[in-house]
Amino acid sequence: MPDIGIDVIKRCKNGDRQAFNEIFTQYQTQVVNMSYSLLSNREDALDAAQEVFVRVYRGIGGFKEKSSFSTWLYRITTNVCSDFLRKRQRSINALSISVNADEDDRDTDIPDNSPTPEEHAELNERQKALYAALGELKEEYRIVITLFDIEGLSYEEISQITKAPIGTIKSRLNRARSALKKILTENGNFLDNFSV
């Protein structure tokens, strides 16, 4: 997708809400899809996308035109999703401690973060298998494979977003693809026409 025009960014920096709406309209689907690839949960992806655009709105004044706007937006999306993953891990750790510490016979409610049946209906079988497998990858692998293979960014752009050298990006991408293929194969979901 082409980058948004610099005039729109300048108008947004000057407080023009219509310019922000143009940015939101152009990038909303991409941000939600990328967030879903990184978080493997539709509700979390929608919450993360909302947080991304809040940060864009608040931080647009700090955007320097040294990189493309989409690269800056991907960096924000990656950071927000990483925050969500850390919070999810802390919540899982806290939940396991409180469940173990609870020695009386009270029922403990454990939230179900799995996708709803409606969400399953939206996705075809290959997408479900792919997103589930992505969810099993290490965060650093999930980020590079999402940015390169799903979002179509270059090594240079991914390097700018992740602040990692291009050689590291290439290495992580190879490991991520191998790990993804292994997960899909082990789960019986690897199809000949899957491209990983």
Side-chain angles (χ1 to χ4, degrees):
M1 175 176 284
D3 237 12
I4 195 114
I6 193 70
D7 60 316
V8 177
I9 294 168
K10 285 180 180 174
R11 285 175 28 229
C12 190
K13 284 182 174 184
N14 290 327
D16 183 339
R17 287 185 181 256
Q18 181 57 40
F20 177 76
N21 287 341
E22 289 176 41
I23 292 171
F24 178 80
T25 301
Q26 180 159 339
Y27 291 103
Q28 176 187 17
T29 301
Q30 273 184 289
V31 169
V32 170
N33 289 342
M34 183 177 165
S35 298
Y36 185 66
S37 296
L38 294 170
L39 300 172
S40 301
N41 179 291
R42 181 63 72 189
E43 282 183 35
D44 285 351
L46 293 172
D47 289 345
Q50 183 176 356
E51 176 63 23
V52 167
F53 285 107
V54 167
R55 290 190 190 184
V56 167
Y57 184 77
R58 290 179 179 161
I60 192 80
F63 172 64
K64 313 282 188 254
E65 290 81 28
K66 292 178 185 174
S67 64
S68 70
F69 180 79
S70 57
T71 299
W72 184 70
L73 181 63
Y74 282 126
R75 185 178 308 127
I76 292 171
T77 305
T78 302
N79 290 341
V80 166
C81 289
S82 292
D83 291 347
F84 267 72
L85 290 170
R86 279 190 289 277
K87 286 178 192 170
R88 186 188 293 167
Q89 189 58 47
R90 280 195 303 265
S91 133
I92 288 169
N93 291 342
L95 180 62
S96 65
I97 291 168
S98 66
V99 169
N100 291 337
D102 188 8
E103 296 187 342
D104 60 0
D105 291 332
R106 290 182 294 159
D107 289 333
T108 304
D109 290 333
I110 299 174
D112 181 8
N113 292 328
S114 62
T116 65
E118 295 83 22
E119 289 168 338
H120 280 293
E122 287 176 20
L123 301 170
N124 67 38
E125 289 303 312
R126 288 189 298 156
Q127 284 178 319
K128 287 192 294 186
L130 181 60
Y131 284 125
L134 280 170
E136 294 183 40
L137 292 177
K138 287 184 189 178
E139 182 182 346
E140 62 188 25
Y141 293 170
R142 195 181 313 173
I143 288 170
V144 294
I145 206 165
T146 296
L147 293 175
F148 189 84
D149 287 325
I150 297 175
E151 298 298 327
L153 299 183
S154 68
Y155 293 122
E156 292 78 13
E157 290 170 316
I158 297 169
S159 177
Q160 287 178 7
I161 291 166
T162 62
K163 307 285 190 203
I166 290 175
T168 302
I169 300 299
K170 290 180 179 180
S171 172
R172 284 180 186 167
L173 185 59
N174 283 333
R175 289 190 200 125
R177 287 176 174 163
S178 295
L180 187 61
K181 185 174 181 177
K182 181 179 180 195
I183 291 166
L184 289 167
T185 303
E186 287 174 356
N187 293 340
N189 293 320
F190 192 81
L191 306 174
D192 291 335
N193 57 354
F194 246 144
S195 59
V196 257

